[in-house]
Amino acid sequence: MLCFNLSRLGAACLLGSMAMVNTAFAATTINLSYNGAPDPEKNAVHVFATNLKELVEERTDHEIELRLFANSMLGSEEERMEQTMNTPMLNIASFAGVSPLADELFVSAIPFLFEDFDAARTFFDEGNYWQAFSDELRERAGVDMLAVVEEGGFLAFTNNERPIRQPSDFEGLRFRAMDPSQVALYESFGASGTPIPWTETYMALRTGIANGQMNPPMYIILASLYEVQNYLTLANIQYSDQFLVGNSEMIAGWDDDLRDAFMDAVNEANQRAREANEAQVESRIAYLEDEGMEIIRPSDEELEAFRTIGQPAYLEWLEGRGIDQRWIDMALDDAGESALTQ
């Protein structure tokens, strides 16, 4: 009887040990939410997310696995950010998700701040402003800023009334705005701006509530805006980006090796997505031209005219919003003094 009990005890201990081993090596599944369709041809954010899933699982030896939720399946920008603040998850947020927590983010969207992709990437990867902003976001909201994700290049103007080659061409037009900062920019050119949700933009353009909008070519294709817009002005207004953020407590709870492996995966996924995105810019423009849009490529002089009017108006808007000047000074220093007409 004693032997039988010992045998049962040994078996129980063995099963318990096996359970502990299985628990120790069980994958942690983390949700990753983002905007847009799961379409690798049309959605650069989805390309980043799928690369990230593959690389995180590979680099962490499946200690971390990601579950992807495209098309805002986990809720609105605000809802998903609140989930990220309060639960162990990852989220790719737009300005609408991050700016309510730290509106200093709008400084990074000063129009015509970056000459090209390299300048924008250096600003976010190496700049003092972005590091300080990331620290501020972590302190205020409990989320880590992990990567700046390109979502299709630089913003361009579209409209259905006339070719826009210079600021005066905006006179009297009505534009869909993503947020109040875009309203200020349109008004500086003589147009009016009305905030309209992205999901309502196509119908607003089709019915004439708005004559135009601005987005990178990728989103113009994604939403079929070429069906209701005739002209595309490649003014490189703002760098189009979203932001990979993660729950700070979750990330701090990982050991150094796991955290390093995860961040290696983030950096490589971002590099892959950037290369894929930049390689498709001209083909997307060609697609829109084939669909009937007239493509306007402003000259350097015409771009300077937009910049001379648009930048001071945007800076005035930042000042009116009460954003401390030190944030603007840091960003301008990172971008180079010549980047801004003061």
Side-chain angles (χ1 to χ4, degrees):
M1 186 71 176
L2 179 60
C3 291
F4 175 76
N5 287 337
L6 287 173
S7 297
R8 291 184 60 185
L9 179 60
C13 290
L14 179 60
L15 289 172
S17 298
M18 291 174 63
M20 291 175 66
V21 169
N22 288 337
T23 301
F25 288 94
T28 298
T29 301
I30 299 172
N31 292 343
L32 170 59
S33 61
Y34 54 99
N35 299 314
D39 186 333
E41 297 300 320
K42 297 179 180 179
N43 189 356
V45 175
H46 175 69
V47 172
F48 170 78
T50 53
N51 280 331
L52 184 62
K53 173 179 170 60
E54 173 191 338
L55 288 165
V56 163
E57 294 174 1
E58 174 189 306
R59 297 291 170 81
T60 67
D61 197 22
H62 289 270
E63 191 169 343
I64 296 175
E65 295 187 348
L66 301 185
R67 181 186 293 121
L68 305 184
F69 291 89
N71 276 329
S72 305
M73 288 174 60
L74 297 186
S76 67
E77 288 276 0
E78 295 81 1
E79 290 168 339
R80 286 159 39 214
M81 186 59 75
E82 185 174 350
Q83 293 165 24
T84 308
M85 293 166 63
N86 295 307
T87 63
M89 69 172 282
L90 300 169
N91 178 35
I92 303 175
S94 73
F95 268 72
V98 178
S99 61
L101 305 175
D103 65 355
E104 293 85 357
L105 178 67
F106 284 111
V107 174
S108 71
I110 293 172
F112 311 102
L113 189 61
F114 309 120
E115 183 177 352
D116 53 27
F117 281 110
D118 287 342
R121 292 163 182 170
T122 299
F123 177 89
F124 287 106
D125 293 348
E126 303 175 15
N128 293 321
Y129 156 79
W130 194 245
Q131 182 59 59
F133 176 82
S134 301
D135 293 342
E136 193 76 17
L137 182 66
R138 182 186 302 111
E139 182 177 338
R140 291 185 194 177
V143 295
D144 280 16
M145 179 64 69
L146 302 170
V148 176
V149 182
E150 288 180 3
E151 55 172 354
F154 285 82
L155 275 67
F157 296 120
T158 72
N159 84 102
N160 61 3
E161 292 292 323
R162 65 181 80 104
I164 293 178
R165 301 181 183 278
Q166 55 194 355
S168 61
D169 293 330
F170 275 91
E171 190 68 37
L173 298 180
R174 301 179 303 277
F175 271 74
R176 175 262 176 180
M178 180 177 66
D179 54 51
S181 73
Q182 290 190 352
V183 173
L185 184 63
Y186 293 134
E187 290 179 348
S188 74
F189 296 143
S192 62
T194 302
I196 296 173
W198 174 243
T199 53
E200 300 174 17
T201 297
Y202 181 94
M203 190 56 64
L205 295 170
R206 181 177 179 181
T207 59
I209 294 174
N211 304 124
Q213 59 89 54
M214 62 178 182
N215 259 301
M218 184 195 82
Y219 274 104
I220 298 167
I221 295 170
L222 191 63
S224 300
L225 298 187
Y226 52 83
E227 296 176 353
V228 290
Q229 298 282 270
N230 298 325
Y231 306 100
L232 172 68
T233 301
L234 300 172
N236 285 6
I237 310 148
Q238 293 165 320
Y239 179 68
S240 182
D241 52 13
Q242 294 194 34
F243 312 98
L244 175 67
V245 295
N247 180 274
S248 297
E249 186 176 347
M250 171 187 73
I251 295 168
W254 297 337
D255 63 40
D256 290 345
D257 289 342
L258 184 60
R259 192 181 307 110
D260 289 347
F262 174 82
M263 287 308 304
D264 283 346
V266 168
N267 293 333
E268 183 170 338
N270 211 14
Q271 181 60 32
R272 287 187 187 181
R274 286 174 172 180
E275 291 172 359
N277 174 59
E278 189 171 358
Q280 294 182 73
V281 170
E282 287 301 322
S283 63
R284 287 168 176 157
I285 294 168
Y287 176 88
L288 292 172
E289 188 169 26
D290 289 344
E291 290 294 330
M293 295 192 78
E294 180 179 335
I295 310 300
I296 297 96
R297 297 180 185 266
S299 67
D300 290 343
E301 292 76 17
E302 289 167 339
L303 288 175
E304 185 61 26
F306 284 120
R307 179 182 174 202
T308 300
I309 294 173
Q311 286 183 342
Y314 192 93
L315 289 176
E316 184 178 348
W317 179 82
L318 290 176
E319 181 181 353
R321 200 171 176 90
I323 293 176
D324 194 293
Q325 184 65 35
R326 73 183 182 91
W327 292 100
I328 298 171
D329 291 342
M330 270 195 294
L332 297 184
D333 185 60
D334 289 342
E337 292 184 7
S338 63
L340 185 69
T341 300
Q342 301 190 60

